[in-house]
Amino acid sequence: MRGNVVRSVIPGRRRIVPVRCAMITLLMSLAAASALAQGDSDRDDIDSPGLRIEAATGWDGVVNMSAPVPVAFLIHNDSEQPIEGRLLLSDLISEHNSSLGKVVISPGTSRRVTSIQAMTNWTECIATFASDAGVLWRRELPLHTGIVSGSGENVALFIDDGGRRLHLSVSAENQAESDNAQTSAVGQGPGFIQCLTAATWQLPNHPGPLLPVQAVIFPEKVADEAVNDVQWQALARWVCQGGVVFAHHDSENVLQRLLAVAPLSAEPADRRGEFNVRRVGLGAIYQFDAPLLPSAGAPMRDAWTLDPEYDFL
């Protein structure tokens, strides 16, 4: 009788074990799904009334992870109350965090925040602006987009708040001449120029983020007041370290602002073809008179990319 009881109980337990395992597996999968959903919610875009934030990593969507990555924010307060919060960069996958500090924006004003970050080991970048009451704004910023310039490619940064693009291409009628050019003004030759667009608020407070850039180009009649003193100082230091700035003759203020804060004195101007050139340290400031944009500026753009005389890089 006892043997019968034992035989009737053991099979029941054997049937229960697979059910328990299935339940445990199901619960674990539900927990993982819940954690994944929570992770997704930590990445969801968040906006708040009266708050607008423009954010950018790298230059024009191109991020060079092997160099210091520039991260820039332009925070607008369109409300009638002050807005206060902290900016935080996070990598939820690799568990990296970087605080950019506390920011206070008065009603009807804007604040600019820039930083350079070593992000070699980052997988993603989640930017969050949060107050004590909670998250006010959040975006995922691109880290793995664009084309990182190679050893045979040079980068020119075109500064324009209107988002216009500058194409430094070689015209068909001058292709034969370009094939014979050994060097060029901005790059190693035709096809090797990566011209990117950046707004004035993206210019850094430190020359570090500009090190992968060979030339910075200002268009005609640029508003120099859109660039603050710290940005001009960073740009001037970059020029002294070997950078090159192009500025139109109508933007004489660009030249004056750079020379006023440069740590080294500029040499007298030297006329070289289409340009007045002032050497400053290892770099130079090139002034030009001809139009740059739109189609009327084609001869000037071709001069930059064709003439081997302009070997300043």
Side-chain angles (χ1 to χ4, degrees):
M1 187 67 172
R2 180 177 298 174
N4 290 338
V5 171
V6 171
R7 285 194 296 271
S8 64
V9 173
I10 293 177
R13 288 180 177 173
R14 287 176 179 171
R15 288 193 299 271
I16 291 173
V17 170
V19 174
R20 287 179 176 172
C21 291
M23 291 179 65
I24 292 172
T25 302
L26 178 60
L27 291 173
M28 290 178 65
S29 64
L30 290 175
S34 176
L36 181 61
Q38 179 64 34
D40 288 340
S41 67
D42 290 341
R43 294 176 175 83
D44 290 345
D45 291 354
I46 293 179
D47 291 290
S48 298
L51 176 65
R52 291 185 298 114
I53 299 182
E54 301 175 66
T57 50
W59 301 115
D60 202 7
V62 177
V63 180
N64 187 349
M65 298 287 286
S66 63
V69 177
V71 183
F73 298 87
L74 188 60
I75 308 174
H76 307 271
N77 182 357
D78 298 329
S79 72
E80 298 180 354
Q81 301 295 328
I83 296 178
E84 180 179 326
R86 287 188 171 275
L87 269 173
L88 177 69
L89 303 179
S90 303
D91 181 348
L92 302 181
I93 297 175
S94 303
E95 298 183 345
H96 296 304
N97 291 287
S98 178
S99 176
L100 304 187
K102 181 179 178 181
V103 184
V104 179
I105 314 99
S106 301
T109 65
S110 300
R111 284 288 303 274
R112 174 182 162 272
V113 178
T114 65
S115 175
I116 52 175
Q117 299 287 323
M119 309 184 94
T120 305
N121 299 320
W122 285 53
T123 305
E124 62 180 0
C125 182
I126 310 297
T128 303
F129 184 66
S131 67
D132 293 339
V135 176
L136 303 176
W137 176 90
R138 182 166 57 213
R139 288 291 188 279
E140 181 173 0
L141 306 183
L143 281 185
H144 304 283
T145 59
I147 302 173
V148 177
S149 56
S151 58
E153 182 176 319
N154 291 289
V155 177
L157 198 61
F158 178 55
I159 308 301
D160 189 77
D161 286 336
R164 296 177 298 177
R165 311 197 72 81
L166 178 64
H167 299 285
L168 297 177
S169 60
V170 179
S171 59
E173 59 269 23
N174 291 323
Q175 185 61 50
E177 181 182 353
S178 69
D179 290 339
N180 296 325
Q182 298 300 313
T183 57
S184 63
V186 187
Q188 298 294 327
F192 289 89
I193 303 164
Q194 191 174 15
C195 192
L196 310 175
T197 298
T200 52
W201 60 267
Q202 291 179 255
L203 285 172
N205 294 345
H206 187 278
L210 292 172
L211 293 180
V213 177
Q214 280 70 50
V216 171
I217 304 169
F218 288 93
E220 300 93 317
K221 299 178 180 178
V222 64
D224 67 300
E225 64 273 9
V227 181
N228 65 36
D229 292 341
V230 177
Q231 290 173 292
W232 285 119
Q233 290 171 6
L235 189 60
R237 289 170 59 192
W238 169 77
V239 171
C240 292
Q241 294 170 6
V244 175
V245 167
F246 285 98
H248 193 271
H249 181 74
D250 289 344
S251 299
E252 179 71 18
N253 47 0
V254 171
L255 174 66
Q256 299 305 324
R257 293 294 295 270
L258 285 172
L259 295 181
V261 297
L264 298 175
S265 299
E267 296 180 7
D270 177 27
R271 187 71 184 183
R272 296 181 58 185
E274 300 289 339
F275 305 100
N276 274 329
V277 183
R278 286 176 173 83
R279 295 280 179 177
V280 188
L282 298 177
I285 302 171
Y286 278 58
Q287 278 192 297
F288 57 96
D289 300 323
L292 182 61
L293 293 167
S295 59
M300 173 58 66
R301 296 193 296 272
D302 286 346
W304 292 5
T305 58
L306 288 176
D307 198 327
E309 179 185 356
Y310 307 134
D311 180 18
F312 55 79
L313 293 180

